[in-house]
Amino acid sequence: MDSNVNSGRAGRTLLLGSSGPLLRRLTELLVESGETVEVLLVPTGGTSSGVQRAGATLLSGDPRAMDFGLSGADYVALTERVTRAFTVLSPVEEHDADLERVDALRVARELSEFVQAGGAREGITHLSTLGVFGDARSMVLESQLQVGQSFNHPLEEAAAVAELMLGRLATRVPVRILRVGALLGDARSGELTSHSLLGEIVRRVERSPHISELRFKDEPLRIETTDRAAEALVILSREARSTTVHLVDDNAPTDRRFLEWIGDRLDREFREISNSGRGRRVPSPLERLPGHERRFFAGEPLRFGRTEALRIL
């Protein structure tokens, strides 16, 4: 991926999202490229200081609320000055199984209304998830969405419905969608996302014996860093037409490589199960993780086409 994200253009850009390292890094990149950035945060109790230090203007409102929670005059003014919009939501676990109340759908609905009211005339860029394919088990293409899948978690289904909802805007403006796996955190600062499973995996490794025997699948994990995802969003936003991209690494670590990498740093050794009896057979630290993103650590055989990703990123 080209790390030079300075496009040399200026414009008024609206970010709808959750506070954290991804939104902060995206803000930094856009401001560095000459954008005037305004942000509407989902109220989660997290700090907003990062986006403000990066040079963005924080608006009083809620991207999930009707008209973003703004007055009529403020909403109209926002549609007039905003030329582009991004959605960057953290996939926080929802206790309410009602899809209509999932943040991703509520924000997608309000963004759709915003575009229809004349906002984001140069297009929208939406962060989605590889989980939109649910329990699919074959090769899936970037141009596909409905492949006969079913869903084991409401957040995955909500992400798929949000894509369908925003995709209908493609007759009005370019709609760019970036699908990613589990976002761990910022590779530069070491900061984890609020929902990152990396901390839980590290704790499990720390509690494991110094030598453990387990079974490896040797399948790639679908994990990503927030700084790489932010760069991909900026690059994708320059596309003049609607497109969907899979952010998947050809050299993604397998479950074996990932655990060996963590083990090296914590003085732990993981070996394939043998008959030597020298090690202690234990469940993999990647098994039975909490939350819907556990699928990305399961080493599933689903493969993701990358035609557009190779062209753009």
Side-chain angles (χ1 to χ4, degrees), residues 99-100 102-113 115-116 124 126 145-146 157-173 175 177:
L99 289 183
E100 292 299 312
V102 173
D103 286 350
L105 278 183
R106 296 170 66 187
V107 172
R109 182 181 299 112
E110 290 307 316
L111 178 56
S112 180
E113 294 290 338
V115 171
Q116 294 179 64
I124 62 176
H126 173 65
L145 177 56
Q146 296 169 299
E157 185 174 2
V161 176
E163 278 198 25
L164 289 172
M165 185 181 299
L166 295 176
R168 299 189 188 106
L169 299 173
T171 58
R172 290 176 173 268
V173 300
V175 177
I177 296 173

Side-chain angles (χ1 to χ4, degrees), residues 5-310:
V5 295
N6 194 323
S7 64
R9 65 179 298 279
R12 190 62 62 100
T13 298
L14 178 65
L15 305 187
L16 310 173
S18 311
S19 60
L22 175 56
L23 186 67
R24 182 170 61 253
R25 182 56 180 155
L26 177 60
T27 302
E28 291 171 351
L29 292 173
L30 291 171
V31 171
E32 288 170 6
S33 68
E35 299 282 350
T36 301
V37 179
E38 301 185 30
V39 179
L40 276 166
L41 286 177
V42 172
T44 60
T47 178
S48 60
S49 58
V51 294
Q52 291 175 298
R53 284 197 301 269
T57 299
L58 185 64
L59 303 178
S60 296
D62 184 342
R64 304 168 301 179
M66 180 180 295
D67 294 347
F68 298 148
L70 303 174
S71 68
D74 287 343
Y75 185 77
V76 170
L78 191 66
T79 64
E80 292 174 348
R81 68 177 181 265
V82 165
T83 57
R84 304 198 301 163
F86 290 74
T87 63
V88 189
L89 289 172
S90 298
V92 178
E93 295 294 327
E94 306 267 354
H95 298 292
D96 193 334
D98 181 3
L99 289 183
E100 292 299 312
R101 297 191 60 80
V102 173
D103 286 350
L105 278 183
R106 296 170 66 187
V107 172
R109 182 181 299 112
E110 290 307 316
L111 178 56
S112 180
E113 294 290 338
F114 184 73
V115 171
Q116 294 179 64
R121 295 171 292 282
E122 294 180 11
I124 62 176
T125 305
H126 173 65
L127 178 69
S128 188
T129 170
L130 297 172
V132 295
F133 293 108
D135 61 0
R137 287 292 180 270
S138 60
M139 168 71 78
V140 289
L141 306 179
E142 292 163 312
S143 59
Q144 294 178 307
L145 177 56
Q146 296 169 299
V147 293
Q149 70 269 48
S150 59
F151 300 96
N152 296 319
H153 197 285
L155 282 183
E156 295 177 345
E157 185 174 2
V161 176
E163 278 198 25
L164 289 172
M165 185 181 299
L166 295 176
R168 299 189 188 106
L169 299 173
T171 58
R172 290 176 173 268
V173 300
V175 177
R176 308 103 173 179
I177 296 173
L178 181 72
R179 295 177 182 148
V180 301
L183 291 171
L184 302 183
D186 193 303
R188 303 168 310 140
S189 67
E191 180 184 0
L192 300 183
T193 60
S194 61
H195 58 282
S196 175
L197 289 175
L198 182 57
E200 171 63 21
I201 294 169
V202 168
R203 286 188 289 272
R204 291 183 177 190
V205 172
E206 288 175 332
R207 294 194 298 265
S208 67
H210 283 280
I211 300 177
S212 302
E213 291 190 346
L214 45 83
R215 294 196 184 280
F216 296 105
K217 294 183 179 180
D218 289 320
E219 294 284 354
L221 306 185
R222 301 307 178 188
I223 56 180
E224 195 53 75
T225 63
T226 55
D227 38 325
R228 187 165 182 260
E231 290 180 4
L233 284 167
V234 174
I235 294 170
L236 183 60
S237 72
R238 301 175 190 155
E239 284 294 295
R241 62 181 179 84
S242 296
T243 190
T244 298
V245 166
H246 290 159
L247 187 60
V248 174
D249 191 346
D250 284 337
N251 298 311
T254 62
D255 54 340
R256 185 190 301 267
R257 286 172 51 200
F258 186 67
L259 286 177
E260 288 176 346
W261 178 78
I262 296 177
D264 287 344
R265 286 152 179 79
L266 297 176
D267 192 26
R268 298 293 189 275
E269 182 178 352
F270 295 97
R271 299 174 178 171
E272 189 80 49
I273 289 176
S274 68
N275 297 321
S276 67
R278 295 172 58 189
R280 176 181 169 189
R281 181 174 177 176
V282 298
S284 169
L286 303 181
E287 292 178 6
R288 295 187 291 277
L289 288 165
H292 71 287
E293 288 195 329
R294 61 182 176 270
R295 66 179 300 119
F296 298 127
F297 296 87
E300 297 177 342
L302 182 61
R303 295 292 182 264
F304 298 92
R306 299 180 59 236
T307 302
E308 289 297 279
L310 292 173

